[in-house]
Amino acid sequence: MRFEGVGVHTGATSRVEVAPAPPGSGIVFLLAEGVRIPATAEFVTETARATVLGQHGATVSTIEHLMAALFAMGIDNATVTVSGPEIPVMDGSAREFAEGIAQCEVVAQNEMRKRLVITAPHFFRDGDRTLVVLPASRLRVRFLADFAPPIGTQFFDSEVTPERFRDEIAGARTFGYLHEVEALRKRGLAQGGTLENAVVFGPEGPLTPLRWPDEVVRHKVLDLLGDLALIGAYPQCEVIAIKSGHRLHCIATRELRKMLAPPLPSVNVQ
């Protein structure tokens, strides 16, 4: 399974190949420098506007959409070979990744899926952002997003299955405000962002048609799933997210991973 395109933040062309891996391997990124980076929370190096993994001076940026697709479509073990600094943004969503996985022959492996079974409530806060993880029989996400006009407040609630991910979440595109674009580009971000791969909101509303009236909160759920994938196991729980983002997700997944096994050496989140 191969994908090619530009990175939304770097503007650089990148190529990605997703290949099968043995049972128990997890998701591992193989970079052009020859560095292998496990897709787990300890290797997150940055969370400003995207989730970045790094090790030994090498990094790969904006992994959350691809990770969400692998995770929600039930892929536990894969090697992701990346040529370029960033995962391609494609159309701004995870739709092409999810469709690519659906068209492949997914192989059941002779090993039980690793699970994180939540048996007691866990609460995480970062300013006015909150994440609550509760016991449940299967993964469910309830997300409250609250943004300045014209986006406003949106809520989305769904059990996470491959079918619901493909139909209701994967196609939600990344978004931003028109007045933010210049500031982001001065910071070296959004270099590859266009109206073809992002929803941009002007003072009166979106500059291009939305796929759903609540596309923004659906994309926030997409990002959350990509970050939850960094637990490195299927989280059997209900997640209630209020205005959360990559930084809080990283804080939570690092703590939750401690319930699986002794943590690996970590790096700071910027």
Side-chain angles (χ1 to χ4, degrees):
M1 186 169 58
R2 296 179 177 87
F3 304 96
E4 181 175 346
V6 300
V8 67
H9 291 304
T10 63
T13 299
S14 295
R15 297 174 182 85
V16 171
E17 180 177 348
V18 182
S25 301
I27 309 297
V28 177
F29 286 86
L30 176 59
L31 309 189
E33 300 90 334
V35 176
R36 297 176 66 87
I37 307 177
T40 54
E42 292 84 3
F43 294 94
V44 174
T45 61
E46 188 177 341
T47 55
R49 291 283 175 171
T51 299
V52 182
L53 297 180
Q55 182 170 224
H56 306 313
T59 62
V60 58
S61 179
T62 322
I63 64 161
E64 55 270 20
H65 300 171
L66 176 58
M67 287 299 300
L70 292 169
F71 170 69
M73 297 295 289
I75 305 301
D76 298 306
N77 304 298
T79 299
V80 182
T81 301
V82 183
S83 174
E86 187 177 10
I87 301 299
V89 67
M90 312 310 286
D91 72 344
S93 75
R95 183 168 63 183
E96 291 181 63
F97 298 137
E99 290 178 351
I101 295 167
Q103 292 168 10
C104 288
E105 183 180 354
V106 178
V107 178
Q109 298 177 314
N110 294 323
E111 188 170 307
M112 293 294 293
R113 188 180 199 186
K114 186 183 292 185
R115 289 174 175 263
L116 172 62
V117 179
I118 299 299
T119 58
H122 297 267
F123 300 86
F124 305 93
R125 299 193 69 174
D126 182 22
D128 64 346
R129 305 169 190 269
T130 303
L131 197 71
V132 182
V133 180
L134 301 173
S137 59
R138 55 184 59 88
L139 178 59
R140 187 180 196 95
V141 172
R142 305 177 194 266
F143 202 117
L144 177 69
D146 185 29
F147 290 94
I151 296 176
T153 302
Q154 298 181 4
F155 178 74
F156 186 77
D157 173 15
S158 179
E159 181 181 329
V160 180
T161 66
E163 295 75 22
R164 290 192 179 181
F165 178 77
R166 287 183 66 191
D167 294 343
E168 302 177 19
I169 300 170
R173 297 161 294 174
T174 192
F175 63 93
Y177 293 97
L178 184 61
H179 69 267
E180 291 181 317
V181 173
E182 183 177 352
L184 287 172
R185 289 183 170 166
K186 285 182 178 179
R187 291 169 53 196
L189 299 172
Q191 301 299 306
T194 70
L195 292 179
E196 301 299 319
N197 58 34
V199 179
V200 178
F201 287 85
E204 303 303 319
L207 303 186
T208 51
L210 295 172
R211 292 177 176 172
W212 295 276
D214 60 351
E215 185 170 357
V216 165
V217 72
R218 291 173 190 251
H219 186 80
K220 293 295 291 183
V221 172
L222 171 61
D223 281 347
L224 171 61
L225 293 175
D227 290 336
L228 286 177
L230 300 181
I231 293 173
Y234 175 81
Q236 185 177 313
C237 60
E238 178 178 333
V239 180
I240 301 172
I242 302 173
K243 301 171 62 175
S244 67
H246 294 306
R247 176 181 166 84
L248 181 57
H249 301 164
C250 180
I251 291 169
T253 52
R254 284 184 175 178
E255 287 300 310
L256 293 172
R257 266 187 63 75
K258 293 177 182 178
M259 299 170 59
L260 288 172
L264 297 171
S266 62
V267 288
N268 291 329
V269 177
Q270 300 177 357

